[in-house]
């Protein structure tokens, strides 16, 4: 069942709300940017994500095929979410940083199922051969 959570960047300029079901699974990926930012996310549909504050505080980073927008706070540098359109993950999506949620219990996070993606090789349905470091 979906629950609503609230999240923010470190300095608090960017604030958002997300409706999600942790039991549907969270994701870690080995692509170049997820590795460097150690991103742990949950995929939601655009209608389940709401930016509450900080539109003007966000910087937008795109690279490679430019399918996704990596949005981070230009003051504190924290990446709060990614959005874009990738056919392999069902079209338009938001991927919200679970580490940016302010009203979730550590135990809820610890028990959430994690799925690994081999984004580095564009093999979104496969798990990478090594995942322990992600
Ligand atoms: Zn910030």
């Amino acid at each position: 069942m979906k629950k609503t959570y609230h999240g923010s960047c470190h300095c608090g300029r960017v604030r958002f709300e997300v409706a999600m079901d942790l039991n549907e699974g969270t994701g870690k990926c080995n692509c170049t940017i997820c590795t460097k930012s150690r991103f742990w996310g949950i995929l939601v549909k655009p209608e389940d994500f709401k930016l509450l504050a900080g539109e003007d505080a966000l910087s937008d980073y795109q690279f490679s095929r430019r399918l996704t927008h990596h949005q981070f706070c230009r003051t504190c540098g924290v990446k709060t979410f990614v959005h874009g359109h990738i056919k392999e993950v069902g079209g338009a999506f938001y991927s919200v940083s679970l580490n940016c949620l302010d009203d979730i219990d550590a135990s809820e996070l610890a028990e959430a199922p994690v799925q690994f993606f081999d984004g580095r090789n564009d093999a979104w349905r496969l798990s990478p051969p090594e995942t322990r470091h992600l």
Side-chain angles (χ1 to χ4, degrees):
M1 199 179 74
K2 278 185 202 168
K3 274 172 70 177
T4 299
Y5 298 92
H6 299 85
S8 60
C9 65
H10 192 260
C11 74
R13 287 187 173 192
V14 178
R15 290 189 296 108
F16 63 87
E17 185 178 277
V18 60
M20 61 186 207
D21 182 354
L22 270 179
N23 295 318
E24 285 181 5
T26 66
K28 292 185 181 182
C29 167
N30 68 347
C31 81
T32 52
I33 192 159
C34 285
T35 299
K36 293 206 175 199
S37 61
R38 219 152 189 272
F39 193 75
W40 181 24
I42 185 163
L43 277 181
V44 300
K45 293 289 179 197
E47 58 267 28
D48 288 328
F49 178 86
K50 194 160 133 196
L51 186 63
L52 300 174
E55 177 108 57
D56 57 343
L58 286 167
S59 226
D60 182 22
Y61 178 61
Q62 289 189 284
F63 65 101
S64 180
R65 289 192 291 152
R66 298 182 176 271
L67 297 175
T68 51
H69 298 266
H70 296 263
Q71 302 224 266
F72 61 94
C73 172
R74 71 177 95 211
T75 298
C76 67
V78 168
K79 180 160 81 172
T80 42
F81 60 92
V82 176
H83 67 95
H85 193 287
I86 296 180
K87 205 172 53 173
E88 292 85 342
V89 300
F93 72 92
Y94 273 72
S95 178
V96 174
S97 170
L98 291 165
N99 294 321
C100 288
L101 297 176
D102 297 310
D103 54 2
I104 193 163
D105 286 339
S107 59
E108 271 185 282
L109 285 174
E111 286 160 19
V114 181
Q115 198 181 350
F116 293 94
F117 303 102
D118 190 0
R120 191 164 293 233
N121 297 305
D122 255 340
W124 298 96
R125 291 175 197 283
L126 301 177
S127 183
E130 179 57 86
T131 60
R132 289 173 300 174
H133 63 303
L134 297 173

